[in-house]
């Protein structure tokens, strides 16, 4: 196959890559969208989305073979028969754990946009300013005011349902009507608000599930089967939203099964000239050229591509001149909180299977609240009634058992904290010198862990959860810490951070690689700090902003 030239190449088709493809094609660029895995077509390839549990060979449960083949996925809920093909095959794509690290990857068109939790929150002024004020890592090169219009822009297209709560710590957005709190959640929310004089708030989650028809998509059907793909387009994914928009322009070429081995680089112009691609099916190598390249392969894979590029000039790879490429690994630590039972409302139930829960925004180290650690955490969770699948106290058979199973059980509620992990330089990824993947590429070695700041935070994450549920009147409240290893939050961030100085960062304030101004990195790799909020909405906003800048620079002849 002859070399081919495009205006722009986008590597990765997940949340960030889909947005890059949409924005660049709508602005008139001819774009090649590369995805290392299989194609997944909207609706047609959601093979289990409309299946009942009894129609799945093993009812969706784990088999012995699955446990043997997926030692990483089995560490958490993600190992599931119903969407197993949407998670990276670990034997083909292994990695090395110098310290325990749980890495859940989605290698197909749409990436993890098909399986994400869809919680969508803006970062606030306090998040962008924290590094500078606390003398941690480096300063973000942007502030909330720089991203606010782009948050609005992506929210309006993606479709985020939520409540406008008027909080500085959690800026409001352009929301579709919110989902409802159920009766117990409303009661708990009122009691928490009263106990802490409005300084703590429980609200409905801000979620990328649409609550009314939007952008040609049908509103959420409350099936809570989102991670199997939604035939209705009820939640934001590359397939339901950004890819169709890009395709409508006629400017997009999608190429699945395309593993980018490296960027090609011209040291005279100090620009990337294109990408080298290994076809995952035929093992042939192809070269594609472009004026602009967007790396959106997910945080660590984008960084790995940089590490394999221009090594004749920089041994550590393109973007390594600062010494920060691969460093400052972040995630959100969680699996700690509390749960309890609620007495009352036995005559009340809830409608459907709401694919969303409650959210309690960060209240630690805000205003006059001071802790023995920096930064903070928010809570997610919800209240529900146990149904026919609960443990039944009556050890009977026949009619008594059947009657017990027809009555819903008591109300219970649980909340889980998601906390910020600081950007420590020593938390890093590197290319292995000994281990390669199925295609002969060096795999990543993970060397990252929680530090004392997060460990102190976790104690508060549990104790505050217990305090709030007890204050709200729940009974038998129990705190829990189920343990956590980096990566389990599936919010990998850092390793190619933004900054104000090429000596201390990989990217500038427009997401350009300092060492190659026509290369943009807009996925989680670019994050300078992690905040406590789910990060995907920020990736969307940064990507749309960078694409707008890139096209403007192209027109000026600067790229």
């Amino acid at each position: 196959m002859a070399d081919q030239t495009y205006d722009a190449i986008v590597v990765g088709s997940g949340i960030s890559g889909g947005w890059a493809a949409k924005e660049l094609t709508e602005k008139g660029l001819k774009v090649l969208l590369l995805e290392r895995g299989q194609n997944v077509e909207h609706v047609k390839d959601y093979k289990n989305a409309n299946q009942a549990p009894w129609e799945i060979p093993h009812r969706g449960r784990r088999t012995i073979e699955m446990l043997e083949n997926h030692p990483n996925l089995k560490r958490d809920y993600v190992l599931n028969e119903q969407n197993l093909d949407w998670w990276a095959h670990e034997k083909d794509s292994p990695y090395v754990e110098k310290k325990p690290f749980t890495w859940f990857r989605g290698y197909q068109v749409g990436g993890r946009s098909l399986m994400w939790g869809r919680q969508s929150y803006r970062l606030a002024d306090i998040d962008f300013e924290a590094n500078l004020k606390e003398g941690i890592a480096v300063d973000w090169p942007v502030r909330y005011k720089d991203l606010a219009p782009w948050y609005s822009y992506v929210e309006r297209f993606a479709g985020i349902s939520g409540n406008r709560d008027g909080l500085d710590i959690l800026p409001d957005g352009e929301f579709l009507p919110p989902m409802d709190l159920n009766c117990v959640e409303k009661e708990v929310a009122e009691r928490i608000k009263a106990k802490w004089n409005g300084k703590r708030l429980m609200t409905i989650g801000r979620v990328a599930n649409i609550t009314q028809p939007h952008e040609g998509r049908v509103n959420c059907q409350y099936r809570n089967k989102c991670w199997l793909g939604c035939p209705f387009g009820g939640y934001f994914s590359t397939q339901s939203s950004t890819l169709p928009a890009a395709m409508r322009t006629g400017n997009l070429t999608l190429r699945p099964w395309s593993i980018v081995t490296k960027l090609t680089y011209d040291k005279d112009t100090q620009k990337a000239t294109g990408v080298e691609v290994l076809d995952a099916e035929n093992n042939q190598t192809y070269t594609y050229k472009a004026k602009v390249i967007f790396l959106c392969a997910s945080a660590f894979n984008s960084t790995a591509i940089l590490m394999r590029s221009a090594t004749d000039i920089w041994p550590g790879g393109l973007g390594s001149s600062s010494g920060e490429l691969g460093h400052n690994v972040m995630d959100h630590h969680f699996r700690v909180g509390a749960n309890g039972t609620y007495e009352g409302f036995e005559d009340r139930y809830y409608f459907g299977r709401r694919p969303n829960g409650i959210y309690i925004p960060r209240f630690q180290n805000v205003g006059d609240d001071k802790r023995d650690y920096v930064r903070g955490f928010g809570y997610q969770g919800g209240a529900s009634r146990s149904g026919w699948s609960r443990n039944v106290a009556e050890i009977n058979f026949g009619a008594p058992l059947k009657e017990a199973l027809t009555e819903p059980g008591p109300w219970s509620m649980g909340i889980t904290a998601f906390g910020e992990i600081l950007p420590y330089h020593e938390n890093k990824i590197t290319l292995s010198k000994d281990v390669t993947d199925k295609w002969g590429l060096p795999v990543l070695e993970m060397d990252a862990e929680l530090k004392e700041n997060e460990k102190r935070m976790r104690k508060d994450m549990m104790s505050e959860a217990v305090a709030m549920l007890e204050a709200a009147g729940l009974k038998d409240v129990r705190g829990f810490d189920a343990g956590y290893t980096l990566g389990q939050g599936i919010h990998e961030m850092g390793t190619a951070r933004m900054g104000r100085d090429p000596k201390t960062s990989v990217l500038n304030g427009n997401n350009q690689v300092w060492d190659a101004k026509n290369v943009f990195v807009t996925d989680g790799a670019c994050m300078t700090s992690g905040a406590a909020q789910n990060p995907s909405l920020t990736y969307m906003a940064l990507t749309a902003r960078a694409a707008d800048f890139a096209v403007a620079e192209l027109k000026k002849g600067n790229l």
Side-chain angles (χ1 to χ4, degrees), residues 299-300 303 324-329 429 493-497 506 524-525 527:
F300 297 170
T303 293
E324 293 299 330
L325 186 66
H327 293 270
N328 313 297
V329 168
I429 59 173
M493 297 175 282
T495 67
R497 71 183 179 195
V506 179
M527 298 289 279

Side-chain angles (χ1 to χ4, degrees), residues 183-451:
C183 57
V184 170
E185 291 165 350
K186 289 177 180 177
E187 185 73 12
V188 171
E190 285 301 316
R191 293 184 180 187
I192 289 175
K193 182 179 180 180
K195 171 68 175 179
W196 281 276
N197 298 316
K199 291 185 177 180
R200 299 188 188 184
L201 174 76
M202 177 185 290
T203 187
I204 189 67
R206 299 173 180 179
V207 66
N209 287 70
I210 57 177
T211 50
Q212 61 189 33
H214 181 74
E215 295 286 342
R217 296 153 49 200
V218 177
N219 51 283
C220 177
Q221 302 296 298
Y222 278 52
R223 304 183 331 142
N224 198 21
K225 300 176 73 172
C226 308
W227 73 336
L228 304 180
C230 183
F232 305 94
Y235 72 89
F236 171 86
S237 68
T238 296
Q239 274 80 353
S240 70
S241 302
T242 49
L243 185 57
M247 286 294 191
R248 283 194 294 269
T249 67
N251 291 328
L252 185 71
T253 300
L254 172 63
R255 194 185 196 285
W257 299 115
S258 301
I259 301 173
V260 174
T261 57
K262 65 180 181 181
L263 307 185
T264 53
Y265 181 80
D266 186 331
K267 62 181 179 182
D268 294 327
T269 62
Q270 297 184 340
K271 295 178 183 178
T273 59
V275 301
E276 187 179 276
V277 167
L278 177 64
D279 189 297
E281 292 185 300
N282 65 23
N283 288 323
Q284 297 297 307
T285 297
Y286 305 100
T287 300
Y288 298 93
K289 296 182 179 179
K291 300 173 184 175
V292 172
I293 298 168
F294 270 68
L295 284 181
C296 304
S298 82
F300 297 170
N301 281 316
S302 289
T303 293
I305 291 170
L306 290 174
M307 288 175 167
R308 298 193 298 261
S309 304
T311 53
D312 56 329
I313 302 171
W314 298 281
L318 182 61
S320 66
S321 61
S322 66
E324 293 299 330
L325 186 66
H327 293 270
N328 313 297
V329 168
M330 293 174 287
D331 185 24
H332 286 118
H333 63 113
F334 73 126
R335 291 166 57 89
V336 56
N339 51 53
T341 59
Y342 191 92
E343 297 176 351
F345 294 113
E346 281 85 3
D347 60 336
R348 302 286 297 278
Y349 205 71
Y350 45 85
F351 173 77
R353 294 185 291 274
R354 185 188 69 195
N356 188 17
I358 62 92
Y359 191 71
I360 300 174
R362 171 185 163 188
F363 52 81
Q364 319 81 34
N365 293 313
V366 177
D368 58 2
D369 182 286
K370 302 299 178 184
R371 309 284 167 131
D372 65 348
Y373 53 85
V374 298
R375 312 295 166 91
F377 52 88
Y379 288 100
Q380 299 178 34
S384 62
R385 295 190 77 172
S386 54
W388 63 267
S389 62
R390 72 187 185 278
N391 293 326
V392 179
E394 296 85 359
I395 307 301
N396 291 312
F397 293 96
L401 173 64
K402 293 177 181 177
E403 290 175 7
L405 293 178
T406 61
E407 295 295 326
W411 285 94
S412 63
M413 185 168 187
I415 56 176
T416 298
F418 286 76
E420 181 169 356
I421 296 175
L422 295 178
Y424 302 103
H425 178 81
E426 57 270 31
N427 277 351
K428 65 182 186 298
I429 59 173
T430 53
L431 292 179
S432 175
K433 297 179 180 178
D434 306 309
V435 183
T436 58
D437 64 15
K438 175 182 176 180
W439 299 275
L441 295 172
V443 305
L444 285 174
E445 294 186 350
M446 312 302 193
D447 187 2
E449 63 185 354
L450 291 185
K451 307 292 186 182

Side-chain angles (χ1 to χ4, degrees), residues 138-198:
V138 298
D139 185 21
W140 274 90
V142 295
R143 290 293 185 264
Y144 176 70
K145 63 181 178 60
D146 300 311
L147 274 194
W150 294 105
Y151 276 131
S152 294
Y153 178 78
V154 298
E155 287 165 342
R156 285 193 293 266
F157 180 80
I160 311 299
S161 63
N163 194 57
R164 297 179 67 85
D165 299 303
L167 302 176
D168 291 338
I169 195 72
L170 194 73
D172 290 330
E174 310 290 333
F175 298 142
L176 297 174
M179 295 182 176
D180 288 329
L181 296 173
N182 62 42
C183 57
V184 170
E185 291 165 350
K186 289 177 180 177
E187 185 73 12
V188 171
E190 285 301 316
R191 293 184 180 187
I192 289 175
K193 182 179 180 180
K195 171 68 175 179
W196 281 276
N197 298 316

